[in-house]
Amino acid sequence: MATKTCAAPNCGKETTSNLKCPICLKQGLNQYFCNSNCFRGSFSRHKAIHKKEGIETYDPYPEYDYRGTLRPVFPLTPRREVPDSIAKPDYAKNGEPTSELKNDRTNKIKVLSGEEIAKMREVCKLGREVLDAAGAMVRPGVTTEEIDRVVHEESIKRGGYPSPLNYFNYPKSVCTSVNEVICHGIPDARPLQDGDIVNIDVSLYKDGFHADLNETYYVGDKAKSNPDTVRLVETTREALDLAIAAVKPGIPVREFGNIIEEHANKNNVSVVRTYCGHGVNNLFHCQPEIPHYAKNKAIGTCKPGICFTIEPMLNLGTYRDVLWPDGWTSTTADGKFSAQFEHTLLVTEDGVEVLTARTAASPGGPVPRI
């Protein structure tokens, strides 16, 4: 029997069951569930993909205390499929990254061999290509759902698996974080607007290794003419560059937070504490953890052959964050804008190699401060 993926948002397991959602069937969608318990237990979240009669789009959480002006725009598109020919990480089958969870108990930092480094270089090159394809789409009127589609298709085209898909049951192939969203925004039907900023966080899995990178893009000329928006975005970009410049063998990973927060303070923006950079290799997330705030207690020292990300998230207002009811979307507690940039880095014998570096053709890039 053909294997399908369970459509329950809190399941994501492979199944041979033919149990379908009747509402999806009426709307021309084939959505399968492991069993009736899976269907009933997840229906309140699964129905996000159902169109409502007489209503084109809607806010799924009308009673939620949003902190800014952004609202989710449903219905979402169904989970995108990945061909059987594409090699997949373990969590693609059931939403649980078993290998990561086992590794977390060891607290070891992996040193890559020459062959493994070559694979990291290749997947990071491809990850950059996918992010550039997504970044080139950014303009007023484009929805983040459309960006998700392009990221998914470009990943498949390169023989890769979009790493976020089904990671702890995440429903999409990319994270798109707009305005006050700090990270993990779920692509939806809201068109980008002139004056927005949007972070596109691309991760790609191929040949057993993950690439991880993101950038924040200005949407339209209005965003580039807002002094506070430009100060936030460019400070975040610069903070990442300053931290990367300090990477070399022997440097404690806790030092990067001191560099980032010092630059943030000089520019009157705050540093998010809840989320951090991380090791990345054959595992999507692993040791070492890389906090971005000063005086942190992170454990680990840079050694040649280790790979990790630095990905500072800076806010115009408070550093504190809140979580939307979807369990993923993290926003600023005061509704003010947030920006983020990320690279995957390889520690070398005498410094660092930015595996996900921009190219001369990469869209976006810095703009002059106002």
Side-chain angles (χ1 to χ4, degrees), residues 87-108:
K88 303 173 180 64
D90 58 359
Y91 55 82
K93 288 188 176 182
N94 60 11
E96 185 172 294
T98 305
S99 54
E100 277 189 25
L101 298 174
K102 288 181 179 178
N103 180 76
D104 286 346
R105 295 194 287 268
T106 70
N107 209 33
K108 292 181 179 179

Side-chain angles (χ1 to χ4, degrees), residues 168-201:
F168 287 109
N169 303 131
Y170 184 77
K172 297 292 183 177
S173 296
V174 68
C175 296
T176 52
S177 300
V178 178
N179 297 346
E180 67 263 29
V181 179
I182 295 169
C183 59
H184 304 155
I186 297 175
D188 64 17
R190 177 189 180 275
L192 294 173
Q193 300 173 11
D194 192 6
D196 287 346
I197 56 175
V198 57
N199 178 273
I200 303 176
D201 193 344

Side-chain angles (χ1 to χ4, degrees), residues 74-369:
F74 281 32
L76 299 180
T77 55
R79 171 189 162 116
R80 302 185 193 280
E81 295 298 323
V82 178
D84 290 340
S85 59
I86 300 288
K88 303 173 180 64
D90 58 359
Y91 55 82
K93 288 188 176 182
N94 60 11
E96 185 172 294
T98 305
S99 54
E100 277 189 25
L101 298 174
K102 288 181 179 178
N103 180 76
D104 286 346
R105 295 194 287 268
T106 70
N107 209 33
K108 292 181 179 179
I109 299 174
K110 182 180 177 69
V111 177
L112 276 62
S113 68
E115 182 180 352
E116 290 171 327
I117 289 171
K119 290 182 178 180
M120 280 296 296
R121 285 194 177 111
E122 177 61 18
V123 73
C124 286
K125 172 180 173 289
L126 299 178
R128 164 53 62 184
E129 292 174 1
V130 173
L131 178 59
D132 286 351
M137 294 185 64
V138 174
R139 60 185 180 277
V142 172
T143 68
T144 49
E145 280 274 20
E146 292 175 276
I147 293 173
D148 179 73
R149 175 185 58 78
V150 166
V151 167
H152 188 89
E153 292 174 355
E154 293 295 326
S155 298
I156 300 303
K157 186 187 300 183
R158 288 164 176 79
Y161 179 93
S163 302
L165 186 62
N166 209 32
Y167 182 74
F168 287 109
N169 303 131
Y170 184 77
K172 297 292 183 177
S173 296
V174 68
C175 296
T176 52
S177 300
V178 178
N179 297 346
E180 67 263 29
V181 179
I182 295 169
C183 59
H184 304 155
I186 297 175
D188 64 17
R190 177 189 180 275
L192 294 173
Q193 300 173 11
D194 192 6
D196 287 346
I197 56 175
V198 57
N199 178 273
I200 303 176
D201 193 344
V202 164
S203 305
L204 182 68
Y205 177 80
K206 186 177 182 184
D207 292 334
F209 288 83
H210 296 266
D212 198 1
L213 69 161
N214 74 54
E215 292 194 26
T216 298
Y217 300 88
Y218 298 97
V219 182
D221 293 334
K222 190 175 178 181
K224 295 178 182 178
S225 64
N226 185 314
D228 286 336
T229 299
V230 173
R231 172 169 55 89
L232 171 68
V233 174
E234 298 310 319
T235 297
T236 312
R237 192 193 314 269
E238 294 158 2
L240 174 57
D241 290 343
L242 289 168
I244 291 173
V247 178
K248 63 180 180 180
I251 296 294
V253 298
R254 63 177 178 270
E255 178 60 24
F256 306 132
N258 297 330
I259 295 168
I260 290 166
E261 186 153 329
E262 179 181 9
H263 192 63
N265 289 342
K266 286 179 180 177
N267 290 275
N268 195 30
V269 295
S270 63
V271 182
V272 172
R273 293 173 170 243
T274 303
Y275 306 97
C276 63
H278 53 88
V280 59
N281 39 65
N282 58 300
L283 301 176
F284 192 5
H285 299 91
C286 57
Q287 293 79 13
E289 289 192 348
I290 313 289
H292 304 115
Y293 57 90
K295 300 179 181 179
N296 66 77
K297 306 298 183 184
I299 298 171
T301 301
C302 290
K303 297 177 183 179
I306 69 171
C307 280
F308 57 84
T309 71
I310 303 178
E311 46 187 295
M313 291 148 268
L314 306 186
N315 301 342
L316 276 177
T318 180
Y319 71 87
R320 298 186 183 278
D321 58 281
V322 295
L323 198 63
W324 278 6
D326 60 27
W328 283 102
T329 306
S330 176
T331 78
T332 57
D334 57 9
K336 294 184 178 179
F337 278 19
S338 180
Q340 182 186 18
F341 288 86
E342 174 185 26
H343 278 303
T344 294
L345 310 169
L346 168 69
V347 182
T348 63
E349 293 292 338
D350 57 0
V352 62
E353 181 179 342
V354 183
L355 299 180
T356 51
R358 290 172 54 83
T359 72
S362 294
V367 303
R369 289 177 183 255

